[in-house]
Amino acid sequence: MAAATRIVSVNVGSQTLGLAEFRMQPQGGLLLHDYRLREILAEPAGETMRQAQMARILREMMDELRIKSGTVNYAAAGQSVFTRFVKLPSVEEEKIERIISFEAQQNVPFPIDEVVWDYQLVGGGADEQIQVVLVAIKADLLDEINNAVEESGLRTAIVDIAPMALYNAFRYNYSDLSGCSLLVDIGARTTNLLFIEPGKIFSRGIPIGGNSITAAIAKEFGESLAAAELRKKRDAFVSLGGAYAEPENVDVARVSKIVRGTMTRLHAELMRSISHYRAQQQGNRPDRVFLCGGSASTPYMREFFQEKLQLPIEFFNPLRNVAVADSAPVGMRARSAHLLGELVGLALRTVTACPMELNLRPASVVRAQALEKRRPFLMLAAACFILALAGWGIYYARAAQEMRQSTERLQPKIDKMRAAEAKFAKLRKETAALDSMATPLITAINDRNFWPAILEDLNARLPKDDIWITELIAMSGGKAIGVDEKRMIEIAPNPVNAPSAGRGAAARPSGSAIDGILVRGLYLLNPKQEQVVVDYFRNLVGSRFFAIDPNDQARTIKPSTPTNTEWAFPYELHLDLRNPVEIP
C-alpha cells in the first residue's frame, strides 16, 4: 500500500508558533502524526528580530519532527490581516468579480497595489444578498513572514488567516450543530470572535488578550514585562469573586483580580459584538460558546464566561473528527488540544474542499507556483531544443564539408576578385578625399542661397500696409554679429527675450554659428496700432526658416507703447533659426 501523503501546517501566532505534521488517510480522513508548539519571545517593537527568531524556532521544531523540506500551509495572525464583511446585491455571476474588486479598493485602508487580498463568497444567491468576506494584508509584512517560513526549507502552498482556519476546523468537527455557535479565540494580543451559523459567518477582533493581562500585572507590581509574564504563568487564574475565599498568598490574589478585571473588559466587548452581530448582520443570539487560544487555558476561565453569559461553555476540540497517531504526545495533547484549531484547519485545505478557501500568497509564491506548473512543458521544450540542436549540428557539419569542397573549387576566382577589390578600395579613398574638399564649397553655395531665401520669406510674410523693416542684424548666442560695441549695447536683447540655452543647443555651439536674426522696423499710426506687428508675428509662425512658439509671443516681440504724438513706432522681432548657419 502506498504511503500516506504528508501535510505540514504552520500557525504563525503573535506569541506562539505551531508546527504540525498530518497524514492523509487512504479513505480520505486526516491523521495527526505529531506537532510542536513554541513561544516567540521577541518584543513587539523588534519585528525584524522576531522574524529571525521565528525562522530559527521553526527550523528547530522541524528537526524534532524530522521534517527536512516539503510544501506547507500556514496562517497569519488575525491582527495582521484586515478583514471586512461586505453585503452585495444579487447580480449576475460575471459581474461579481468586478464589483468585489471595486469594493476592495473602497474598503481596504491601504493602496490596493501595496496589499495582497482575496475574497470568499458566503451564502446568498438567488434573490438574497451575497455576503463577501474580504481579507487583505500588507505585502511587505507578508513577505517578511513568508521569508521566515521558507528559510526553514519549506515551500509555501497556501497562506490562510488564523480565524478562517479555525472556522474550517470548526465546521469539520462540529458539522452536526445547528443554531448559532460563538468561537472565542483568546490569543496573546487579540481575541478573535467567530459567529458561526449554517450559511453564515462573522468575525471580529478585540484588542484584549494575554498580553493585556501581562501589561496590567507589570503595572501593578512595577516590574518588567518578562517578569510579569512569568508571574502570570505561575500564579494567574480568574478570580471567582463573590463569596469565594481569596488565596492566602496576597500576590496571587492580586494577580487573580487583575485577570478577572481584564476578562470583565473582554466580556463587555463580547456583549457589544453580539449586539452588533444581531443588529447589523441579522444574526441569532449564540446558543453555545467554545473557548480556544493560549489564554483560554487560564484556570477558571470557563467558569467565568459561564457565569457571565449563562450559556453552555466548552473548550473547542479540533481533534474531534481527526485521528491521532501514537507518536503524538498524549499528555501534551490533553493540555494543548484547544491550540491546534488553526493547524487542523490548514491541513484540511489539502485534504478536502473547505467552506472558507482564502489564499493570500505573496507575489513571489504565485510566480514560483506558476513556474512549477509549467515545468513539465519547459522540460519537454528543453528536450525538443536539444534534439533540434543535435539535428542542426549534424546538418551544419555536412554543410561545412560541402562548403570546404566548394571553397577549394572557387579559390582561384576569389583571388582574382580580391585583387579587383583592392583597386576599388583605392578608388573609394580617392573619392572620399575629393568629397571632403568639395563639402565646404557646397556648404558655401547653399548658404549663399539661404540668406536670399530668408529675406524673401520675411518680405513675403510682411503685412502689405502700415509696417516696414529698417534693419536686419545677425545674432549668435544672443549677441549681435558685425557691429561695434556701442551698437551692440544699444541692441542687446531683453533678458526675457534672450534665446533659451537648451533650445537647439545640439545644433548651434555658442559663438560659432548664426542662430537668430534681429528684425527692427517701424509701423505707422493706424487703427490696429501694434496689432500689425502681432499679425506679422503670426505670419512668421508658419515659416520653415524660423523656430517660433506661437504661444510665447513675448519671447519674440519686444514690447513698444504707441502714443498719439508720433506718426511711426519702432518694433523688434527676435527670430531663432531652425537650422543655424556656421560662421565662416
Side-chain angles (χ1 to χ4, degrees):
M1 181 168 51
T5 302
R6 184 177 70 180
I7 305 169
V8 179
S9 59
V10 173
N11 179 32
V12 184
S14 59
Q15 195 167 312
T16 303
L17 190 64
L19 171 68
E21 179 184 356
F22 295 86
R23 301 291 171 87
M24 186 186 298
Q25 299 284 61
Q27 64 273 20
L30 191 63
L31 171 70
L32 174 62
H33 186 262
D34 206 349
Y35 70 95
R36 292 290 186 274
L37 299 171
R38 293 285 190 278
E39 287 190 3
I40 305 175
L41 300 178
E43 292 295 331
E47 289 298 332
T48 303
M49 185 180 299
R50 183 177 186 275
Q51 300 303 331
Q53 184 185 111
M54 185 176 74
R56 176 179 56 78
I57 293 174
L58 185 57
R59 183 71 261 176
E60 291 174 359
M61 292 192 294
M62 290 174 60
D63 292 339
E64 294 178 12
L65 298 183
R66 298 180 181 179
I67 300 173
K68 301 299 180 184
S69 62
T71 59
V72 62
N73 301 341
Y74 71 84
Q79 73 270 8
S80 303
V81 182
F82 172 81
T83 306
R84 180 63 59 89
F85 292 81
V86 181
K87 289 186 177 180
L88 303 179
S90 179
V91 295
E92 294 81 358
E93 186 174 351
E94 60 271 11
K95 295 182 180 179
I96 290 178
E97 188 167 352
R98 294 199 300 271
I99 296 176
I100 292 175
S101 178
F102 174 78
E103 290 291 336
Q105 296 181 35
Q106 299 300 312
N107 286 281
V108 175
F110 309 107
I112 201 68
D113 56 348
E114 294 181 8
V115 300
V116 176
W117 67 281
D118 197 6
Y119 71 91
Q120 174 84 36
L121 302 181
V122 181
D127 295 330
E128 299 180 4
Q129 285 186 320
I130 302 172
Q131 187 181 33
V132 180
V133 181
L134 280 174
V135 294
I137 183 171
K138 291 293 290 295
D140 52 356
L141 174 60
L142 180 59
D143 288 337
E144 291 178 2
I145 298 174
N146 191 72
N147 291 339
V149 172
E150 294 196 340
E151 278 179 15
S152 64
L154 298 172
R155 300 190 313 277
T156 302
I158 295 173
V159 182
D160 207 340
I161 60 174
M164 298 310 155
L166 271 177
Y167 173 71
N168 288 331
F170 184 90
R171 289 284 300 273
Y172 181 78
N173 288 282
Y174 293 88
S175 58
D176 55 327
L177 293 181
S178 58
C180 179
S181 300
L182 173 59
L183 187 60
V184 182
D185 177 22
I186 309 175
R189 296 188 185 181
T190 61
T191 296
N192 292 311
L193 306 180
L194 273 172
F195 295 86
I196 303 171
E197 296 188 56
K200 182 178 293 188
I201 177 177
F202 179 73
S203 173
R204 187 187 182 198
I206 300 174
I208 300 175
N211 287 351
S212 302
I213 299 174
T214 303
I217 293 174
K219 182 178 180 181
E220 175 71 18
F221 287 87
E223 55 191 13
S224 66
L225 290 175
E229 183 71 17
L230 291 175
R231 185 184 294 273
K232 182 184 74 173
K233 292 179 180 178
R234 185 185 67 229
D235 301 335
F237 69 91
V238 184
S239 174
L240 296 176
Y244 292 96
E246 293 186 356
E248 295 180 0
N249 190 311
V250 178
D251 289 344
V252 174
R254 290 168 65 190
V255 170
S256 68
K257 291 179 181 179
I258 291 172
V259 176
R260 184 178 181 87
T262 304
M263 290 302 101
T264 301
R265 287 167 47 214
L266 177 60
H267 168 258
E269 291 295 330
L270 191 151
M271 296 304 296
R272 274 194 284 270
S273 299
I274 293 175
S275 300
H276 174 81
Y277 174 67
R278 297 183 66 184
Q280 301 297 325
Q281 302 295 323
Q282 290 76 49
N284 296 311
R285 186 176 184 274
D287 297 320
R288 63 196 71 84
V289 177
F290 293 88
L291 301 179
C292 64
S295 299
S297 57
T298 304
Y300 301 117
M301 185 70 73
R302 178 173 174 271
E303 288 76 6
F304 171 82
F305 280 105
Q306 194 158 16
E307 172 196 344
K308 292 292 185 179
L309 298 175
Q310 296 297 310
L311 290 172
I313 309 290
E314 61 181 283
F315 288 100
F316 174 50
N317 180 16
L319 303 179
R320 188 183 187 196
N321 292 335
V322 177
V324 181
D326 296 336
S327 56
V330 177
M332 180 179 172
R333 187 175 74 237
R335 296 191 304 271
S336 60
H338 61 286
L339 301 175
L340 304 179
E342 293 89 346
L343 297 172
V344 172
L346 290 166
L348 289 170
R349 295 287 299 273
T350 303
V351 173
T352 183
C354 295
M356 190 66 63
E357 295 192 334
L358 299 167
N359 198 351
L360 296 173
R361 297 172 298 168
S364 59
V365 174
V366 174
R367 290 193 296 268
Q369 291 181 356
L371 181 62
E372 189 70 24
K373 290 180 180 179
R374 293 197 299 267
R375 181 168 295 179
F377 302 100
L378 294 175
M379 293 177 64
L380 179 60
C384 294
F385 180 70
I386 292 172
L387 290 175
L389 287 179
W392 281 106
I394 295 172
Y395 168 78
Y396 279 114
R398 178 62 179 169
Q401 183 180 1
E402 292 290 337
M403 185 176 292
R404 284 193 298 270
Q405 294 174 357
S406 299
T407 302
E408 292 174 359
R409 293 193 302 267
L410 296 173
Q411 192 61 45
K413 296 181 179 180
I414 293 173
D415 293 339
K416 293 180 180 180
M417 295 178 69
R418 282 178 178 170
E421 182 184 11
K423 295 180 181 179
F424 281 116
K426 183 179 179 181
L427 292 173
R428 280 195 293 270
K429 289 181 180 179
E430 294 176 355
T431 303
L434 293 173
D435 288 341
S436 62
M437 294 174 60
T439 298
L441 299 175
I442 296 172
T443 302
I445 294 172
N446 291 337
D447 288 346
R448 185 183 63 184
N449 295 330
F450 178 73
W451 292 109
I454 284 184
L455 295 174
E456 183 180 352
D457 188 68
L458 286 171
N459 185 60
R461 298 180 185 276
L462 188 69
K464 294 182 179 180
D465 298 319
D466 301 326
I467 185 171
W468 63 92
I469 298 173
T470 60
E471 189 176 8
L472 294 176
I473 301 174
M475 307 293 288
S476 177
K479 296 181 179 180
I481 299 175
V483 297
D484 55 26
E485 292 185 3
K486 181 178 180 181
R487 183 64 173 151
M488 186 179 295
I489 295 173
E490 179 183 346
I491 64 174
N494 190 313
V496 177
N497 299 331
S500 173
R503 189 171 181 180
R508 53 177 190 208
S510 177
S512 64
I514 298 175
D515 54 19
I517 297 175
L518 173 62
V519 179
R520 308 185 76 180
L522 297 171
Y523 65 92
L524 290 175
L525 181 65
N526 64 90
K528 297 173 66 175
Q529 294 291 47
E530 67 272 13
Q531 184 62 33
V532 70
V533 180
V534 176
D535 293 342
Y536 191 21
F537 164 79
R538 290 174 179 170
N539 292 341
L540 290 172
V541 167
S543 174
R544 63 187 178 90
F545 296 104
F546 304 111
I548 298 175
D549 184 357
N551 299 318
D552 192 1
Q553 178 178 315
R555 186 177 183 279
T556 302
I557 303 175
K558 180 178 180 180
S560 62
T561 304
T563 65
N564 294 325
T565 61
E566 298 179 352
W567 63 274
F569 309 98
Y571 70 89
E572 288 185 7
L573 299 177
H574 293 263
L575 305 176
D576 294 335
L577 293 176
R578 291 184 184 273
N579 300 307
V581 179
E582 292 186 3
I583 300 175

